[in-house]
Amino acid sequence: MDDKQLINSILSGNQEAYRIFIKKYVRLVNHVVFKMIANETDREDVCQDVFIKAYQNLKNFKFESKISTWIARIAYNTCINYLEKRQIPLYEDVRSEQETLEDHPGNIITPDDFTVDRNLAYKLCQEIDELPVNYGLILSLYHLQEMSYLEIAKILGMPEGTVKSYLFRARKMLKDRLTRSFCLEDLCH
Amino acid sequence: MSLSYVSDEEIQEYLDGNMSSREIRDFRQRLENCESSQKRLREYTLLYKALKEERIAGCTADFENAVMEKLPAEEEQDEIFNLSNLPIILIGLLVTLGITAYFVDFSPIFAKYLASPLFHYEINWAVFNPLVEAYKTAGDKYYIAGFVILVLMLIKFVDYMFLETEYEKIGH
């Protein structure tokens, strides 16, 4: 079932079709929300809000963009509202209290998940969490969701050039921080 | 800085696949002569690999059910006018107009209107309208039928020109 059929099915009142919709896009919404919101107890509530808003506004979706871009935009706006309500600045490091991965059990890569690059993976998670919120989000959308600059620009409501510049800066910051911690090449296999 | 030096931006452009074949050839040539650039390319390559494999926590297993439970049972009706209300609205309009026409003398209002070509057009149209037939038996009052139709057309015009766009805005 493609997106158009799925949405038509939901609009015709088939709530089970919405369950399929959630399954399809929950990973993307997680990536946006979990990157932007540090508070673990609130994250899942925000994700739920995103899917409820999407359900209520689905009839207004005109297929002028990809559904993934549309729902990621809803997730981004919901997070912005959340951050504004709590007066958390978007372009500053919200995780400046030197929280460690141990403080975020949901974020931990358990020993079972460790690969040969476990030190790097562990350190990378830490360093990404230290980046400004939007940097982490752009990295995630580009590398994990494989979105284009244009799609990310639509989600974040910023020019394509800015997205590209943030992405370059974020990767450079990450690389510099990681190379300060250990020799990256030693982890290369 | 060596002429062969490759910048971080260039390395990222290369790894993102944003370079033309000519740029790639030039990039590789310069890279061969610069060990520091080669080292940075390896570091970035590893970083890209790690970013691709980054793990992000997910919602709890019960997430779908939690959302489904919170969904509104039935979609709220956004339309201001519901089609099922249309007969009631029409009956209400006709009764109101009928009562008004019975008690109020509209002849002064129509005095000038009668001479208008638009009026004759309306009357011709109204004669074929069964709803208006009743008015014809009431003598002069059938003139009102034309007036009623004009009012209805005006309402529809206002609705089409202004209100429908408002409904759309509410919908969005």
Side-chain angles (χ1 to χ4, degrees), chain B residues 3-4 6 21 40 55 58 120 133 138-139:
Chain B
L3 279 175
S4 309
V6 175
S21 50
R40 278 181 300 114
R55 303 285 180 93
H120 293 291
E133 288 292 318

Side-chain angles (χ1 to χ4, degrees), chain A residues 75-133:
Chain A
Y76 180 74
N77 286 339
T78 309
C79 290
I80 294 285
N81 289 340
Y82 168 94
L83 295 172
E84 277 175 0
K85 266 186 202 165
R86 284 155 188 80
Q87 297 181 323
I88 300 169
L90 181 62
Y91 292 93
E92 284 177 26
D93 190 353
V94 293
R95 298 172 186 87
S96 55
E97 296 158 17
Q98 291 301 312
E99 298 166 72
T100 62
L101 284 176
E102 284 75 13
D103 298 328
H104 296 285
N107 243 358
I108 289 179
I109 297 167
T110 63
D112 291 340
D113 295 330
F114 278 5
T115 63
V116 277
D117 293 331
R118 62 190 182 280
N119 290 330
L120 174 64
Y122 183 84
K123 186 69 184 162
L124 184 75
C125 283
Q126 266 187 326
E127 292 296 350
I128 290 176
D129 279 353
E130 297 289 325
L131 290 175
V133 176

Side-chain angles (χ1 to χ4, degrees), chain B residues 107-130:
Chain B
S107 52
I109 299 171
F110 289 113
K112 286 185 179 176
Y113 178 62
L114 270 169
S116 148
L118 179 65
F119 171 75
H120 293 291
Y121 170 78
E122 288 303 326
I123 287 298
N124 286 335
W125 188 87
V127 164
F128 298 104
N129 187 337

Side-chain angles (χ1 to χ4, degrees), chain B residues 13-25:
Chain B
E13 289 281 15
Y14 174 75
L15 292 173
D16 283 335
N18 294 338
M19 281 183 169
S20 67
S21 50
R22 192 179 168 180
E23 285 170 329
I24 291 172
R25 214 169 29 245

Side-chain angles (χ1 to χ4, degrees), chain B residues 146-161:
Chain B
F147 182 70
V148 169
I149 290 161
L150 263 187
V151 170
L152 289 175
M153 285 172 73
L154 186 68
I155 291 170
K156 180 61 197 164
F157 176 75
V158 171
D159 181 53
Y160 178 76
M161 292 299 289

Side-chain angles (χ1 to χ4, degrees), chain A residues 8-187:
Chain A
N8 286 337
S9 177
I10 297 164
L11 291 177
S12 66
N14 179 3
Q15 285 209 340
E16 280 310 301
Y18 198 63
R19 201 181 280 277
I20 299 170
F21 180 89
I22 296 173
K23 272 184 192 156
K24 198 168 177 182
Y25 292 105
V26 70
R27 189 167 173 264
L28 170 61
V29 171
N30 278 350
H31 281 179
V32 176
V33 174
F34 282 53
K35 281 287 169 197
M36 294 185 72
I37 293 172
N39 186 316
E40 267 195 54
T41 49
D42 290 346
R43 285 169 165 179
E44 191 149 331
D45 289 342
V46 174
C47 285
Q48 286 182 16
D49 280 353
V50 171
F51 279 106
I52 291 165
K53 277 183 194 170
Y55 182 78
Q56 287 168 333
N57 288 287
L58 208 57
K59 60 183 171 297
N60 301 323
F61 182 68
K62 306 281 186 226
F63 292 96
E64 285 162 0
S65 62
K66 280 186 184 174
I67 192 88
S68 54
T69 313
W70 180 76
I71 196 161
R73 175 97 185 130
I74 294 176
Y76 180 74
N77 286 339
T78 309
C79 290
I80 294 285
N81 289 340
Y82 168 94
L83 295 172
E84 277 175 0
K85 266 186 202 165
R86 284 155 188 80
Q87 297 181 323
I88 300 169
L90 181 62
Y91 292 93
E92 284 177 26
D93 190 353
V94 293
R95 298 172 186 87
S96 55
E97 296 158 17
Q98 291 301 312
E99 298 166 72
T100 62
L101 284 176
E102 284 75 13
D103 298 328
H104 296 285
N107 243 358
I108 289 179
I109 297 167
T110 63
D112 291 340
D113 295 330
F114 278 5
T115 63
V116 277
D117 293 331
R118 62 190 182 280
N119 290 330
L120 174 64
Y122 183 84
K123 186 69 184 162
L124 184 75
C125 283
Q126 266 187 326
E127 292 296 350
I128 290 176
D129 279 353
E130 297 289 325
L131 290 175
V133 176
N134 261 351
Y135 283 20
L137 177 60
I138 291 173
L139 283 171
S140 171
L141 292 176
Y142 187 84
H143 287 280
L144 290 175
Q145 292 292 328
E146 297 180 345
M147 286 186 167
S148 67
Y149 299 134
L150 183 64
E151 284 173 306
I152 299 171
K154 277 184 187 168
I155 293 165
L156 273 58
M158 56 174 67
E160 213 178 320
T162 310
V163 170
K164 196 172 174 183
S165 152
Y166 281 7
L167 187 61
F168 276 47
R169 222 179 296 168
R171 285 189 296 223
K172 179 150 174 44
M173 278 169 78
L174 265 184
K175 197 220 51 151
D176 290 345
R177 287 181 186 186
L178 288 171
T179 43
R180 263 203 304 272
S181 304
F182 42 65
C183 177
L184 268 179
E185 281 194 282
D186 290 347
L187 298 163

Side-chain angles (χ1 to χ4, degrees), chain A residues 117 120 175 178-179 182-189, chain B residues 6-8 10-12 14-15 27 31-51:
Chain A
D117 293 331
L120 174 64
K175 197 220 51 151
L178 288 171
T179 43
F182 42 65
C183 177
L184 268 179
E185 281 194 282
D186 290 347
L187 298 163
C188 225
H189 298 283
Chain B
V6 175
S7 71
D8 285 53
E10 284 176 299
I11 293 175
Q12 291 193 35
Y14 174 75
L15 292 173
F27 175 86
L31 201 67
E32 274 177 21
N33 304 317
C34 179
E35 272 189 28
S36 119
S37 300
Q38 287 172 19
K39 181 174 178 284
R40 278 181 300 114
L41 174 64
R42 283 195 294 275
E43 287 168 352
Y44 269 113
T45 306
L46 185 63
L47 177 68
Y48 271 58
K49 184 174 170 266
L51 282 169

